[in-house]
Amino acid sequence: MFVDGCFWHYCDEHAHLPKANAALWREKLLANRRRDAANTAVLQSEGWRVVRVWEHDDVREAADSIELELARWTSIVGR
């Protein structure tokens, strides 16, 4: 499970670039998003279930999605 912050992971809804060195920050934050996608792909290719939530997501909805994945895992392991 990953909880991504809106600034560091460049949320489409809430991200904003600092005015100073905007180009540098844009590239840095886009690189963070590419890294997140690559890490998710690697984990999934190795059989992991990946849950990503944003810091602004509703806490109950985030918890529900995590519980759903845990229930799926439990049902697989319990076989």
Side-chain angles (χ1 to χ4, degrees):
M1 183 195 110
F2 296 92
V3 178
D4 293 338
C6 291
F7 177 77
W8 289 108
H9 298 270
Y10 208 32
C11 165
D12 288 332
E13 294 179 44
H14 302 110
H16 66 280
L17 293 173
K19 291 185 189 335
N21 298 317
L24 173 123
W25 278 106
R26 183 176 188 282
E27 184 51 40
K28 164 67 177 150
L29 299 175
L30 287 173
N32 289 351
R33 286 178 72 166
R34 289 190 296 269
R35 184 203 59 224
D36 293 343
N39 288 342
T40 295
V42 168
L43 289 167
Q44 289 173 334
S45 74
E46 294 178 358
W48 288 89
R49 307 285 274 185
V50 176
V51 176
R52 284 191 174 274
V53 296
W54 288 99
E55 68 175 302
H56 64 260
D57 286 343
D58 179 84
V59 173
R60 290 180 195 265
E61 289 177 18
D64 288 345
S65 67
I66 293 162
E67 285 181 356
L68 177 62
E69 287 304 322
L70 288 173
R72 288 179 182 165
W73 181 77
T74 302
S75 70
I76 292 169
V77 172
R79 290 184 192 170

